[in-house]
């Protein structure tokens, strides 16, 4: 867990109109990499499901690399901070 | 905001057309992504505001010291907070060590300030320590505010994951405009990489018709420091207002000069004046550097006003100097520096800024008198002429470091010493400066334009703002850009110019764009078909050969690498009277020839959109800097002006540091 950090997994435009369905697909994707439904649930930080599709999750670098290899994934990037202007 | 709107010609007293015709923006919803709100502020009063628009799908969340149902009203219609990304990054948030409200409530004060600049309700008799007195209000005083708190703690940290969720929710809730006064320092990330969450989130918002207004950043005046540069966002630079706070400094020789301060008094009668420097008689260290005043023996500064010099334009030397002089029991400090436009009160202590010229005058007076003395008066508020408009030193500058052919910033607006609401614990109102403050000025204006032209695309509204912007200040005097040295402002300082709300209501022609144009931009920038396809959610293949980035239908022409000649295309859409004829007026950049074809555009019931070509050739024989000109279409009533910026590069992709 110590080696996990937040990564943003970006999937582009939504492929389904129902936000619940979009979030479910995010959990499924995480589940396929992490191996358990519980781990997928615990790792999920946000599901982006209204304006576009993607999610933020706590992942190791290796897990992030695995997810980035999935065909529907556009980018996987470590989270970073912005500042007020 | 006690001056901003009158300065920009949006006075409620005169009931300007834009305010009147949009009923002060009452049907428009502005989403603010920031540090939260103090809902108790009078600027969130919903008195006189009608029912919440029925299309609104958002809500107000409760949390620490924030009751969603009690604190929201018909003005503040949405309040959500997004902290999970921050918590995942830093672990638990100890609010004893790091004071913060885990709720939409605004610990920092920044979010309250920017949201009330955009759409605060009228509050009369407001001032900041007596300065800038007047009626505070937002640009769209009846527009609705939805706060999406994604920035946290005293320093205002915003995690990309939290920002993205805020944008995602804002899209869902049904906002019309998203205002983001947040930046990430250069070097920039690609606009379609999720590492630039603001850019990617904004793309999806804009593709759904939501206009996204972003800060240009505060890393000026160096070139290529502008951020939030995606062509689908409206990027805002900061100018000063025609308001200043002159403070009289009278020397013992009876010469009086005017510095700048926010000193509320009392008058400091003739008092000893010193510039700490080594008299050459001992080993003690002396320094007249504002950041090193603490090295001076206390006896040098005790009971005196201290003159110091600094090369920095930010506020850190002021803080250092005030601290050192106060600790030495000095009575005031005069700081000689280049203008930074970051005046703050120094807690009742006289701290007055002057430029090097006045500073040197004071220094020579000190050196030529055995017992130099100075008198300091309380600061005054001076409004209107002869105070000039400047692009603020801190405002980030173009060219755009990702795509220099995309002019950024797009537009400028007042962002210096803007008086708006903050925490009631902090006096309720404060003056703040930054492109953060300029951004909601434009967001408020955009809200009014959205109310007036609900069918216009985000690009059309951007075009209306850019093509009608003032190239002078509202009184007709030139706008300068502060930095070193002060110079006439150019498009890399202020984009199209200073936002002119009334003119933007009737721009005549617009340079419109939609998602297909942004796809062509991505193609021209070299992004892969697969990435673009996933971004937009449908198969896309870029044309072969690749389109030219110069053909993107922006309300500007920026050619960063002209060698011989280039021809580019623009298309304008008539949004004015149906039967119109426009003629071109070209002011070419120096040493550059520009041929526009055709030279007359005719619009009628069948012709709403017309394309024209622009052939540009250079006479320069060396790699040059940018030269600036303008291309204007006029029907004798309206002037549709875009900036033209051309740099000759005989040697391409060449860094010149010889």
């Amino acid at each position: 867990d110590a080696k996990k950090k937040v990564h943003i997994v970006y999937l582009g435009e939504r492929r389904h109109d129902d936000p619940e369905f979009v979030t479910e697909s995010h959990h499924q994707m995480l589940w396929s990499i992490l191996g358990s439904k519980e781990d997928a649930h615990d790792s999920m930080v946000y599901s982006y499901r209204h304006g576009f599709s993607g999610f933020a999750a706590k992942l190791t670098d290796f897990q992030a690399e695995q997810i980035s290899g999935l065909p529907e994934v556009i980018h996987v990037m470590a989270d970073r901070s912005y500042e007020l202007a | 905001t006690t001056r901003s709107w009158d300065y920009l010609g949006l006075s409620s007293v005169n009931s300007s057309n834009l305010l009147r015709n949009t009923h002060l923006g009452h049907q428009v919803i502005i989403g603010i992504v920031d540090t939260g709100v103090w809902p108790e502020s009078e600027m969130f009063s919903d008195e006189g505001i009608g029912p919440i628009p029925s299309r609104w799908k958002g809500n107000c969340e409760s949390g620490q010291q924030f009751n969603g149902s009690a604190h929201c009203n018909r003005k503040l219609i949405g309040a959500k907070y997004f902290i999970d990304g921050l918590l995942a990054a830093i672990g638990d948030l100890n609010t004893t060590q790091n004071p913060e409200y885990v709720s939409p409530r605004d610990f920092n004060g920044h979010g309250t300030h920017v949201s009330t600049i955009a759409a605060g309700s009228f509050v009369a008799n407001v001032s900041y320590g007596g300065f800038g007195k007047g009626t505070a209000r937002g640009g769209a005083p009846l527009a609705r505010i939805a706060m999406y708190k994604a920035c946290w703690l005293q320093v205002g940290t915003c995690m990309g994951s939290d920002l993205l969720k805020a944008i995602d929710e804002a899209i869902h809730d049904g906002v019309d405009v998203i205002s983001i006064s947040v930046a990430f320092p250069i070097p920039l990330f690609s606009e379609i990489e999720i590492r630039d969450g603001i850019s990617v989130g904004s793309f999806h918002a804009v593709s759904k018709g939501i206009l996204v207004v972003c800060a240009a950043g505060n890393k000026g005046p160096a070139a290529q420091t502008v951020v939030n540069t995606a062509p689908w966002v409206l990027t805002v630079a900061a100018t000063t207002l025609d308001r200043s706070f002159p403070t009289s400094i009278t020397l013992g020789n009876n010469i009086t000069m005017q510095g700048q301060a926010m000193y509320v008094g009392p008058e400091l009668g003739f008092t000893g004046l010193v510039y700490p420097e080594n008299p050459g008689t001992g080993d003690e260290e002396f320094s007249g550097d504002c950041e090193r005043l603490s090295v001076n023996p206390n006896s040098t500064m005790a009971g005196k006003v201290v003159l110091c010099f600094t090369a920095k334009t930010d506020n850190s030397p002021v803080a250092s100097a005030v601290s050192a002089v106060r600790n030495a029991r000095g009575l005031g400090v005069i700081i000689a520096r280049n203008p930074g436009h970051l005046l703050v009160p120094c807690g009742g202590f006289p701290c007055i800024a002057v430029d090097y010229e006045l500073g040197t005058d004071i220094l020579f007076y000190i050196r030529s008198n055995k017992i130099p003395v100075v008198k300091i008066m309380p600061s005054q508020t001076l409004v209107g002429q002869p105070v000039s408009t400047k692009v603020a030193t801190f405002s980030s500058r173009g060219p755009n470091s990702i795509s220099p052919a995309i002019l950024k910033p797009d537009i400028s607006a007042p962002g210096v010493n803007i008086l708006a609401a903050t925490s009631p614990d902090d006096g309720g109102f404060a003056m703040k400066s930054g492109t953060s403050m300029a951004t909601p000025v434009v967001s408020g204006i955009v809200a009014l334009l959205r109310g007036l032209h609900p069918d216009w695309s985000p690009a059309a509204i951007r075009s209306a703002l850019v093509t009608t912007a003032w190239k002078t200040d509202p009184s007709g005097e030139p706008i300068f850009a502060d930095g070193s040295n002060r110079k006439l402002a150019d498009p890399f300082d202020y984009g199209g110019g200073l936002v002119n709300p009334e003119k933007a209501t009737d721009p005549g022609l617009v340079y419109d764009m939609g998602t297909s144009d942004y796809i062509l931009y991505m193609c021209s920038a070299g992004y892969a078909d697969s990435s673009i396809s996933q971004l937009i959610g449908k198969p896309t293949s870029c044309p072969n050969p690749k389109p030219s980035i110069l053909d993107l239908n922006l309300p500007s022409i920026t050619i960063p690498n002209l060698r011989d000649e280039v021809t580019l295309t623009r298309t304008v859409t008539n949004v004015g009277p149906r039967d119109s004829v426009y003629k071109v007026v070209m002011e070419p950049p120096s040493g550059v020839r520009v041929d526009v074809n055709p030279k007359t555009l005719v619009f009628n019931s069948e012709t709403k959109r017309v394309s024209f070509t622009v052939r540009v050739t250079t006479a320069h024989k060396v790699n040059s800097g940018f030269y600036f000109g303008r291309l204007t279409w006029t029907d004798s009533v309206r002037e549709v002006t875009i900036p033209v910026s051309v740099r000759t590069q005989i040697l391409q992709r060449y860094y010149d540091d010889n």
Side-chain angles (χ1 to χ4, degrees):
Chain A
D1 275 354
K3 290 180 181 171
K4 286 186 174 180
K5 55 181 185 262
V6 177
H7 287 77
I8 301 173
V9 180
Y10 179 54
L11 306 169
E13 191 58 67
R14 292 190 318 170
R15 296 183 180 193
H16 200 280
D17 287 338
D18 182 353
E20 296 298 333
F21 189 91
V22 176
T23 296
E24 182 55 33
S25 71
H26 297 159
H27 280 281
Q28 298 262 353
M29 186 180 286
L30 257 184
W31 184 356
S32 73
I33 296 295
L34 303 183
S36 88
K37 197 173 180 179
E38 290 71 28
D39 285 350
H41 184 268
D42 291 346
S43 289
M44 184 71 80
V45 177
Y46 289 120
S47 169
Y48 307 117
R49 59 192 196 153
H50 299 297
F52 48 94
S53 178
F55 58 90
K58 288 175 272 187
L59 301 168
T60 63
D61 288 344
F62 179 68
Q63 290 164 341
E65 198 176 320
Q66 282 183 302
I67 286 192
S68 69
L70 297 176
E72 57 268 53
V73 173
I74 299 180
H75 293 126
V76 180
M77 299 292 175
D79 200 5
R80 66 193 184 109
S81 65
Y82 292 70
E83 57 194 34
L84 300 172
Chain B
T1 63
T2 52
R3 178 61 188 162
S4 310
W5 308 112
D6 293 337
Y7 168 73
L8 293 175
L10 262 187
S11 169
S12 58
V13 176
N14 298 332
S15 192
S16 71
N17 289 330
L18 182 53
L19 280 175
R20 188 174 58 235
N21 293 341
T22 61
H23 302 289
L24 287 71
H26 77 297
Q27 280 298 319
V28 185
I29 304 166
I30 306 176
I32 308 275
V33 179
D34 214 283
T35 63
V37 283
W38 279 92
E40 293 83 1
S41 169
E42 293 169 88
M43 291 191 83
F44 292 112
S45 164
D46 66 353
E47 195 179 324
I49 302 181
I52 295 169
S54 57
R55 62 200 154 84
W56 176 241
K57 292 196 282 184
N59 64 296
C60 290
E61 294 176 348
S62 295
Q64 202 174 355
Q65 296 193 38
F66 195 95
N67 181 330
S69 49
H71 284 132
C72 284
N73 58 18
R74 295 189 304 273
K75 160 61 76 179
L76 180 63
I77 64 171
K80 296 182 176 179
Y81 64 101
F82 308 94
I83 196 172
D84 293 350
L86 179 72
L87 292 180
I90 66 170
D92 285 341
L93 177 63
N94 182 337
T95 54
T96 308
Q97 289 175 340
N98 296 298
E100 179 54 280
Y101 302 104
V102 183
S103 76
R105 186 172 291 280
D106 180 13
F107 180 79
N108 183 292
H110 188 275
T112 304
H113 202 263
V114 298
S115 54
T116 54
I117 292 172
S121 297
F122 290 86
V123 181
N125 283 326
V126 168
S127 73
Y128 183 46
F131 300 112
K133 194 169 184 180
T135 296
R137 71 169 175 93
L142 297 190
R144 321 306 171 112
I145 295 170
M147 172 56 67
Y148 298 87
K149 179 174 176 178
C151 300
W152 298 87
L153 306 175
Q154 189 72 55
V155 291
T157 297
C158 331
M159 297 305 298
S161 56
D162 294 331
L163 286 172
L164 263 181
K165 188 60 183 169
I167 295 171
D168 188 40
E169 289 288 317
I171 293 171
H172 165 264
D173 292 348
V175 303
D176 300 296
V177 184
I178 298 178
S179 190
I180 308 178
S181 291
V182 171
F184 188 82
I186 55 169
L188 302 176
F189 291 105
S190 142
E191 302 105 330
I192 69 166
E193 258 188 41
I194 199 63
R195 271 190 285 206
D196 188 344
I198 293 177
S199 173
V200 171
S202 298
F203 175 81
H204 291 285
V206 170
S207 67
K208 292 163 181 63
I210 301 166
L211 213 141
V212 182
V213 187
C214 292
N218 296 342
K219 301 296 183 189
Q224 298 183 319
T225 49
V226 64
V227 299
N228 292 322
T229 58
W232 43 86
V233 304
L234 182 52
T235 311
V236 184
T239 69
T240 61
L241 288 164
D242 60 346
R243 181 173 69 183
S244 72
F245 306 101
T247 308
S248 287
I249 301 168
T250 303
L251 304 178
N253 58 8
N254 269 338
I255 289 179
T256 297
M257 51 190 75
Q258 304 289 334
Q260 290 287 324
M262 288 186 188
Y263 174 54
V264 293
E267 173 189 330
L268 189 64
F270 278 111
T271 304
L273 175 64
V274 65
Y275 174 72
E277 57 185 339
N278 196 328
T281 54
D283 294 334
E284 279 186 303
E285 190 177 359
F286 292 85
S287 177
D289 181 336
C290 297
E291 289 184 292
R292 298 192 69 240
L293 290 182
S294 60
V295 305
N296 297 300
N298 283 354
S299 58
T300 308
M301 303 190 286
K304 292 180 181 165
V305 173
V306 180
L307 171 70
C308 66
F309 285 73
T310 179
K312 290 190 174 177
T313 55
D314 65 19
N315 210 37
S316 60
V318 181
S320 301
V322 168
S323 170
V325 176
R326 268 190 151 154
N327 288 341
R329 282 177 289 166
L331 298 180
V333 62
I334 299 172
I335 295 133
R337 64 174 186 191
N338 278 307
H341 306 292
L342 293 168
L343 276 184
V344 289
C346 301
F349 190 77
C351 68
I352 301 104
V354 295
D355 62 14
Y356 283 172
E357 188 179 327
L358 295 177
T360 305
D361 285 347
I362 298 171
L363 177 60
F364 284 8
Y365 161 73
I366 293 171
R367 284 176 173 167
S368 62
N369 280 272
K370 284 189 176 164
I371 308 175
V373 291
V374 66
K375 181 169 76 173
I376 295 173
M377 303 294 285
S379 306
Q380 307 289 312
T381 301
L382 178 62
V383 175
Q385 292 177 325
V387 183
S388 64
T389 300
K390 284 86 60 180
V391 176
T393 307
F394 59 75
S395 187
S396 292
R397 311 299 160 101
N400 173 347
S401 58
I402 293 184
S403 298
I406 310 295
L407 178 66
K408 291 287 172 177
D410 291 293
I411 196 89
S412 66
V416 174
N417 292 326
I418 305 299
L419 179 49
T422 185
S423 157
D425 295 346
D426 230 2
F429 291 88
M431 279 189 191
K432 293 178 187 278
S433 299
T435 52
S436 271
M437 283 70 234
T439 300
V441 169
V442 172
S443 300
I445 294 165
V446 163
L448 296 175
L449 291 173
R450 167 57 78 222
L452 195 64
H453 301 294
D455 55 331
W456 282 11
S457 70
I461 291 179
R462 185 248 297 267
S463 174
L465 290 169
V466 172
T467 61
T468 59
W470 275 298
K471 279 74 185 173
T472 64
D473 76 4
S475 71
E477 292 287 337
I479 297 174
F480 281 81
D482 263 340
S484 189
N485 197 2
R486 183 174 284 177
K487 64 171 182 79
L488 280 173
D490 64 46
F492 295 134
D493 301 312
Y494 64 10
L498 176 66
V499 65
N500 184 343
E502 284 293 343
K503 280 280 183 190
T505 62
D506 181 20
L509 306 176
V510 294
Y511 293 77
D512 203 359
M513 282 195 285
T515 302
S516 58
D517 297 279
Y518 300 130
I519 292 169
L520 286 179
Y521 164 73
M522 292 175 210
C523 291
S524 68
Y527 295 120
D529 289 358
S530 56
S531 293
I532 300 171
S533 300
Q534 282 176 296
L535 182 74
I536 62 169
K538 53 188 172 192
T540 301
S541 39
C542 291
N544 191 8
K546 281 194 307 189
S548 167
I549 199 166
L550 298 177
D551 287 332
L552 189 65
N553 204 37
L554 291 164
S556 57
I557 293 172
T558 311
I559 305 172
N561 53 0
L562 182 63
R563 188 167 185 173
D564 299 313
E565 71 168 72
V566 70
T567 299
L568 53 92
T569 305
R570 289 286 183 275
T571 302
V572 284
T573 304
N574 182 20
V575 293
R578 189 186 61 187
D579 297 305
S580 300
V581 177
Y582 282 84
K583 293 187 181 302
V584 74
V585 178
M586 192 64 225
E587 298 168 66
S590 175
V592 174
R593 182 179 167 137
V594 182
D595 292 314
V596 179
N597 191 36
K599 292 180 169 39
T600 301
L601 305 179
V602 180
F603 298 91
N604 52 42
S605 58
E606 291 180 351
T607 307
K608 283 208 70 172
R609 286 164 58 86
V610 177
S611 296
F612 60 93
T613 61
V614 183
R615 181 170 169 267
V616 185
T617 54
T618 180
H620 295 289
K621 305 288 185 223
V622 298
N623 278 30
S624 72
F626 276 95
Y627 289 96
F628 303 101
R630 288 174 196 161
L631 188 163
T632 301
W633 291 104
T634 179
D635 64 351
S636 302
V637 176
R638 298 165 192 82
E639 291 191 340
V640 189
T641 301
I642 62 173
V644 178
S645 315
V646 179
R647 180 174 66 187
T648 301
Q649 282 206 322
I650 307 299
L651 294 169
Q652 301 262 316
R653 297 182 183 276
Y654 175 73
Y655 170 60
D656 196 352
D657 196 14
N658 58 342

